[in-house]
Amino acid sequence: MKQAKIAAIDVDAQCTFTPLCPDELPVPEGDTIGSALNQQAALADLRILTKDAHPTNAVWVVDDPADMFQSLPHKNADLTWVKHAVPGTKGFETIDGLPPVTDYDYVVWKGIEPDLHPYGACFHDIEEKLSTGLIEWLHSQAVETVIVGGLATDYCVKTTAIQLKKRGRFDVIVNLAACRGIDPSTVSSACDEMVAVGIRLVDSQIALSCLLPR
């Protein structure tokens, strides 16, 4: 029997979600979480990276930020967003301080198709029919506990954590010290949603260490 392992996930820790890219989706202090992500990874056996990778012709793209958050008639692209995380641009790059992509144990690129805009890392589509293989790979590696950090708390972090808990049946810990959110009100509701399904939230490295299996 394989020994149970711990995995750490860096969710969309990309420049597109930081003040470094003010015309995309800048999350306040989004560029400051590199150290906390590295600290949580030091407590894990495996490290995963997820990255938004969106085409310029996506059906959800709008030019004006004022037009964001409008509902769309697509099954797997539910809201409008400004263009962001386009491969080859600054926004697509990971924030400073993180390892090269090739140093991670598993990488998920999200939203490559123009009519798909998933938030979670476990499925390519919002309907959760097309697996990215992440859940299956974690099970194959005997992972039982997953630490989640990244951007943004109220969207991709929340959805990834809930997918891991509900669909993967992992013990999921969200490290809020390694997260930043878009809006305090939606961060609060996201935390409530995560706790409601049994996800544990911590706000410091010390608290995280205390929750991990010894």
Side-chain angles (χ1 to χ4, degrees):
M1 181 179 294
K2 294 182 179 179
Q3 183 177 358
K5 294 179 181 177
I6 301 169
I9 302 184
D10 300 353
V11 176
D12 302 356
Q14 296 167 260
C15 294
T16 191
F17 301 117
T18 77
L20 299 173
C21 293
D23 296 327
E24 297 187 27
L25 295 172
V27 177
E29 298 183 352
D31 54 334
T32 68
I33 63 172
S35 176
L37 289 172
N38 289 335
Q39 289 173 7
Q40 74 176 27
L43 299 171
D45 303 292
L46 300 164
R47 188 172 190 178
I48 296 99
L49 174 69
T50 78
K51 295 184 73 176
D52 272 5
H54 298 314
T56 58
N57 64 334
V59 298
W60 44 263
V61 169
V62 292
D63 294 327
D64 189 341
D67 295 327
M68 289 200 301
F69 307 114
Q70 301 301 308
S71 296
L72 290 170
H74 303 291
K75 291 182 178 179
N76 293 297
D78 61 342
L79 298 173
T80 54
W81 299 90
V82 294
K83 191 182 304 180
H84 62 279
V86 176
T89 67
K90 176 68 176 178
F92 181 69
E93 298 173 7
T94 52
I95 62 175
D96 286 345
L98 298 186
V101 169
T102 49
D103 284 357
Y104 284 86
D105 297 293
Y106 196 91
V107 182
V108 175
W109 288 273
K110 302 159 47 205
I112 297 172
E113 300 289 341
D115 57 347
L116 301 182
H117 190 273
Y119 302 101
C122 299
F123 296 91
H124 289 295
D125 57 326
I126 292 175
E127 293 185 301
E128 299 188 355
K129 294 180 178 179
L130 301 175
S131 174
T132 63
L134 177 58
I135 289 174
E136 295 81 356
W137 181 80
L138 289 169
H139 283 306
S140 77
Q141 298 297 312
V143 170
E144 293 187 359
T145 303
V146 184
I147 309 166
V148 183
L151 303 168
T153 314
D154 31 354
Y155 285 91
C156 296
V157 169
K158 177 194 76 172
T159 306
T160 296
I162 290 175
Q163 288 176 345
L164 289 167
K165 183 65 178 180
K166 295 181 69 173
R167 301 294 297 269
R169 305 295 182 183
F170 299 102
D171 177 18
V172 180
I173 303 170
V174 171
N175 178 19
L176 296 176
C179 301
R180 295 293 185 275
I182 294 175
D183 181 83
S185 63
T186 50
V187 168
S188 178
S189 61
C191 289
D192 290 342
E193 288 181 58
M194 290 188 282
V195 169
V197 298
I199 294 167
R200 296 187 286 176
L201 309 180
V202 297
D203 58 8
S204 71
Q205 182 78 356
I206 294 174
L208 176 59
S209 299
C210 292
L211 285 183
L212 294 175
R214 299 182 184 278

